[in-house]
Each structure stands twice: as structure tokens, then as C-alpha cells.
Amino acid sequence: MRGVLVRDWTEFEALTLDDDCPTPPLGPREVRISTRAAGVSFATSLVVAGKYQRRPPLPFVPGTEVAGVVIETGSECERVSVGERVIAVLDWGGLAEEAVAKEVNVFVLPDALPFHLAVCFTNSYMTSYAALTWPHLLRLAAGDVVLIHGAAGGVGLAAVEISKVLGATVIATVGSEAKREIVEQHGADHMINYSVSGFRDRVLELTGGLGANVIYDPVGGAVFAESLRCIAPEGRIMPVGFAGGTIQQIPANILLVKNITVCGFNFGYYVGWSPRDVREVYAPRLHENMGQLFAWHAEGRLNPRVSHTFPLERFQEAMAVVLSRQSTGRVALVMGDDTQ
């Protein structure tokens, strides 16, 4: 099969498409998927370079999310059948024509959801939904004001839409006027272009001086530091990633004075990307959450955005769009004659 094979830790730009990529073996509780779409993300470039918190065994095919059709199931599989349209969270293996996933990490797709849009759900929507609603995390409630940074990105746009469904007022920060318009189309109440000016004063103005109850931050660095200066007392703030390139140091004195809660969240922990594999323990919650997300999509309340699609052989172009921050929502590789 064709796929992107990583033989040694390297920069993403050094990878090539391999026409004779080894087909992954199938375990008794695993599902083989004919890939029709695969997500491309910044994290993928870190994994390839060996800079991510988890290193797959070499050689490996990168990519942690696919949508496609089940073509084979292991002897102990019970939930998924051959021929079903699915999305899956993978340990690795997404950037190839076939992928193997643990059955517990596979979700059957609604018929109306196209493959290339479905890749938004496994990581972007599920990450944002869990971050915003799980009781030990941000606990966003109707009437809260939520500040969402990097709002035109994959998890950012998902967070905007889910926050509106939950009844919150959304303040979104973006890096350009074009992205500002897209975030507004997805439901944000107020947009701030932080490339023009900071956001602290505007957030305080919009909230009558109180600040945001909840802050969702995939950017990090200076953005996180400024966020602490426009968060409401007893507010909750979550670092979701460090797309800005700098990992912030959190000043404990500000947390103490304002009674702030900082929530750490790594979605990968719940789907097997950690030394302790707890995916079976959390599977009922994740499947319930995905069902809710699919229901909201069917009602027209979630509108996943994939700004760019590329065929598998143009995987380098896909990653270049991601790394240059040209994308909004997600970027996907599409495969097969019928990607819908």
C-alpha cells in the first residue's frame, strides 16, 4: 500500500511517499480501515521529528485520525462490522491507504457526514467538548463568558461552536481579519484581532471589568500571560497546546490572589497515548460524547470546517499549509475515488 513511512526521526519536509509501505497486522480487537480521509496537524510534525511526548517504534506511519470504511475486523470485535463508515483515533498509521485501529477507538459515522469533514470530530471536537464540559476541567455553563484563543484553528473553531450550543458568550481571538470573519460565521459573539493590538483591555471592556469566566488557550506563551490579566475571579483557564512556540511559566501569586483554577488536559491520555493505557476505562464516556457531537451536527448546530484538502501524494503541501498557519479549521488528505 502507499503511505508515508518514517524510518528515522527527521523533519517532516524530508519524508517521501512510499509505494510499498508494509500493511499493518490486525489484532483480535482491532479494525482495518480503508482510509478515505486523514487529518494533518502540527502535532504530526512533532511526532515525526521525535519531539512529541510519545515516540512510536521505528519505522512507523504518522497520523492519528482517519475516516474510512471497515474492510476487516479482528476475531474478538463486537461493535463494528465490515462495510461500515467510521472514524477512528489511532496510535499512529493515518497517512496511508489502510490503517488499523483499536475497536474501542472507532466510531460509526452518520450517513450524512462526509469523510473529509468527519476528521474534525475525533480530535478537534472531542478535545474541545471534553475540555469545556467534563466536571474536573473547565465546566462551562450557560451564561458564562468564554475567551477562546486561536479561534480559527481546529480546536478553536470547535470550541466556539460547542460554547454557543452550551449557552455561553464567546469572545474569540484571531490573527487576521480573514480569520475574524470565519470565526464570526461559526458563531462567536465578539472577535479580537490580536495582531493589531492586545486583547486584555477589550475583554475587560466587554465584561464590564470582570473578565472572562473561562479561557481556552491553544496558543500559550505571552497569550496565556495576558489572559491571566483579564480572567474573572474564580475563573478557569486551560492550556490546550503551545502553538505560539513558547511554553509559559504560570505565576502562582496571580492564581492565589484571583482564586483561579488552571486545568491541564491531554486528550491523548484517554485514547491510549500515554504509558498507562486507560482507553477501555473511558470508552463509555467518549462514545457518549461522540454521540452528542453527532446529534448536534445533525441538528445543524456544529458545522465542521476543512479549509484545504489534498490527495495523499501531496501530503507535503498539506503540512506546509498547517505550519504556515494558512489553514482555518482542519486540513485533510483524501484518498479513494469517493471521498464523501
Side-chain angles (χ1 to χ4, degrees):
M1 69 173 185
R2 295 189 309 158
V4 179
L5 190 63
V6 179
R7 294 180 172 84
D8 201 357
W9 309 116
T10 185
E11 296 305 311
F12 198 89
E13 295 80 1
L15 298 176
T16 58
L17 189 64
D18 193 319
D19 289 332
D20 296 308
C21 218
T23 302
L26 186 73
R29 302 182 69 181
E30 294 180 331
V31 174
R32 189 181 308 281
I33 300 167
S34 174
T35 305
R36 303 298 176 83
V40 179
S41 68
F42 174 69
T44 305
S45 69
L46 296 180
V47 173
V48 165
K51 298 177 181 177
Y52 202 65
Q53 54 258 42
R54 186 185 185 194
R55 286 188 170 195
L58 294 166
F60 71 97
V61 172
T64 58
E65 52 191 338
V66 298
V69 178
V70 176
I71 55 175
E72 187 181 2
T73 59
S75 59
E76 298 179 14
C77 289
E78 299 176 347
R79 292 181 41 257
V80 179
S81 302
V82 171
E84 287 189 300
R85 303 170 71 254
V86 297
I87 52 173
V89 182
L90 311 174
D91 290 5
W92 52 82
L95 304 191
E97 292 176 323
E98 291 183 11
V100 167
K102 304 290 186 185
E103 187 190 31
V104 69
N105 288 349
V106 176
F107 307 86
V108 177
L109 281 177
D111 291 339
L113 185 55
F115 289 125
H116 71 289
L117 296 182
V119 297
C120 297
F121 282 82
T122 40
N123 290 341
S124 294
Y125 276 104
M126 187 66 89
T127 295
S128 293
Y129 184 81
L132 292 167
T133 65
W134 286 8
H136 68 293
L137 299 177
L138 291 174
R139 308 186 312 279
L140 185 70
D144 280 345
V145 176
V146 57
L147 174 62
I148 300 172
H149 296 303
V155 294
L157 271 184
V160 168
E161 293 189 337
I162 292 168
S163 296
K164 291 308 300 177
V165 172
L166 297 174
T169 297
V170 175
I171 304 173
T173 69
V174 294
S176 70
E177 287 303 306
K179 291 181 178 180
R180 176 190 178 110
E181 293 177 7
I182 289 169
V183 169
E184 183 176 18
Q185 293 167 8
H186 284 258
D189 298 287
H190 308 283
M191 288 69 63
I192 302 172
N193 183 348
Y194 58 75
S195 68
V196 176
S197 62
F199 55 85
R200 171 187 177 273
D201 291 345
R202 181 59 175 152
V203 171
L204 292 175
E205 177 186 349
L206 290 169
T207 58
L210 292 177
N213 306 108
V214 168
I215 301 180
Y216 188 71
D217 179 20
V219 180
V223 168
F224 188 94
E226 188 172 350
S227 295
L228 292 178
R229 286 159 176 80
C230 59
I231 189 171
E234 299 186 342
R236 286 90 67 198
I237 183 169
M238 176 183 286
V240 188
F242 312 102
T246 302
I247 298 176
Q248 61 270 19
Q249 300 299 307
I250 302 173
N253 62 315
I254 295 180
L255 309 187
L256 184 151
V257 170
K258 302 185 77 172
N259 294 328
I260 297 167
T261 299
V262 179
C263 308
F265 181 59
N266 171 22
F267 176 65
Y269 175 79
Y270 302 96
V271 290
W273 305 340
S274 63
R276 180 184 173 218
D277 192 336
V278 296
R279 70 184 99 200
E280 294 284 353
V281 175
Y282 288 93
R285 178 188 290 185
L286 295 184
H287 282 270
E288 179 183 355
N289 289 175
M290 189 66 81
Q292 179 64 79
L293 292 170
F294 286 158
W296 284 339
H297 176 262
E299 295 166 2
R301 305 175 81 181
L302 300 182
N303 297 286
R305 178 181 176 85
V306 173
S307 62
H308 297 75
T309 60
F310 297 89
L312 178 59
E313 55 267 22
R314 294 171 60 192
F315 74 95
Q316 288 285 12
E317 293 176 61
M319 182 58 77
V321 167
V322 171
L323 297 181
S324 63
R325 300 186 182 182
Q326 298 175 45
S327 60
T328 52
R330 296 301 308 278
V331 172
L333 297 176
V334 293
M335 304 171 219
D337 295 331
D338 178 11
T339 60
Q340 304 302 304

